[in-house]
Amino acid sequence: MGGAILGLPMAERADDRDGLRLDRLHVPLGPALPDWPAGLVVRTELQGDVVQRASVEALVPPRSSRPAFWSEPWLRSAAGEPVTVGEAARRRCAAHLDSVGRFLAVAGWRDPAAVARRARDQVLSGASVADLRSGLRPLTRRVRRSWTLRWLTSGVGVLSSAQAQRYGVTGPALLADGDAYDRLLVWLEEIDRAVDTCDDRSPLASHALNGPRGRIATDAPASRALVDVLPALLEGTEFACARLVVASLDPDLDELAPQHARGGHAHG
């Protein structure tokens, strides 16, 4: 088989992992999908429902006049600007709530995903620590106690700490040392810790430059490693789980855009 009909590629055949001859389909994901990192393109080669090969492309603007929103406090601190612990904590908490909301939406948990996004907005709008704690407690308790969610996401996209280190992955994905569910739990733990310091007015230590995705470095942003490791995690995964793998890493492609000036902007 092969060729094209009406401009659409036909399936080819190749040996799958069990030695069978199955249709080989090329299916792209992105760059614009609901609950998908904007600008990310994942090109998959499927046999049956299994991803045999995957490649990733990050579509980023050639230059940005604004720092990546989720990394902004740490980038400002690295540039010598005064930043408080509370500013960084709010940004970390909101970033992880944004990631949790995306992950839960992809997993089919629409209502809890909406709760996570409302909480994200409250964190960014300056809600008190007391209000944030009372609002977040039911969400994090529900997510942690759900056996259905655990069953759905356990064993998906396993990334050991050793493999993460080989790819230069830092932050939650390295700390999780496991699968998509483990990465979700690390987000929840970091949310809990960040909420407690959202009103801390002490200065952020210049050496504490670890943002929501990992180590802050303009020459090697944390999300670059998350993008680079994706093909290895996707190959051999059922296609239905591919979006869960991506959501559990949630690379921020804004981090990959070259910077030439500083400032802030709202993250959509």
Side-chain angles (χ1 to χ4, degrees):
M1 299 179 69
I5 297 179
L6 298 178
L8 300 176
M10 295 177 60
E12 299 176 353
R13 287 188 181 273
D15 293 333
D16 81 339
R17 294 169 184 263
D18 297 320
L20 303 175
R21 299 286 289 180
L22 298 177
D23 286 343
R24 183 174 60 188
L25 301 175
H26 298 271
V27 180
L29 294 171
L33 288 171
D35 303 304
W36 180 263
L40 182 68
V41 180
V42 176
R43 305 185 192 282
T44 64
E45 182 178 302
L46 304 180
Q47 287 181 275
D49 61 351
V50 176
V51 178
Q52 297 291 335
R53 293 183 181 84
S55 62
V56 177
E57 180 183 0
L59 305 179
V60 298
R63 188 172 294 275
S64 174
S65 61
R66 301 169 175 178
F69 180 74
W70 296 125
S71 303
E72 182 186 6
W74 296 273
L75 291 171
R76 287 171 47 213
S77 179
E81 298 180 27
V83 178
T84 68
V85 170
E87 286 180 84
R90 280 188 182 273
R91 200 63 58 94
R92 186 187 306 279
C93 184
H96 288 332
L97 284 167
D98 188 67
S99 296
V100 168
R102 185 173 293 110
F103 183 90
L104 294 178
V106 171
W109 272 38
R110 294 291 173 179
D111 289 343
V115 172
R117 286 163 174 160
R118 284 196 297 270
R120 171 203 62 195
D121 294 342
Q122 291 171 344
V123 172
L124 293 175
S125 65
S128 70
V129 169
D131 288 344
L132 292 175
R133 283 174 180 157
S134 63
L136 285 171
R137 193 173 296 116
L139 172 67
T140 57
R141 184 188 302 118
R142 180 179 180 184
V143 172
R144 287 188 172 107
R145 290 182 176 180
S146 172
W147 283 101
T148 300
L149 184 63
R150 183 171 187 171
W151 172 82
L152 179 67
T153 58
S154 291
V156 174
V158 176
L159 177 64
S160 69
S161 60
Q163 185 181 19
Q165 289 173 343
R166 287 198 299 272
Y167 280 88
V169 173
T170 58
L174 172 63
L175 294 174
D177 187 23
D179 55 26
Y181 184 74
D182 293 318
R183 292 190 282 277
L184 173 65
L185 293 182
V186 171
W187 283 337
L188 297 180
E189 291 166 2
E190 293 206 351
I191 287 169
D192 289 341
R193 287 195 297 268
V195 165
D196 290 337
T197 56
C198 277
D199 290 339
D200 190 334
R201 304 293 297 174
S202 60
L204 180 68
S206 59
H207 63 273
L209 299 181
N210 289 291
R213 266 71 179 184
R215 186 173 58 247
I216 299 296
T218 55
D219 58 335
S223 288
R224 168 53 62 190
L226 296 177
V227 169
D228 290 344
V229 79
L230 265 175
L233 298 191
L234 290 171
E235 291 174 3
T237 299
E238 292 184 5
F239 184 67
C241 296
R243 291 196 61 189
L244 271 176
V245 174
V246 174
S248 72
L249 294 177
D250 198 21
D252 180 10
L253 270 62
D254 284 351
E255 289 187 345
L256 309 187
Q259 306 289 316
H260 67 75
R262 292 182 175 84
H265 73 287
H267 193 286

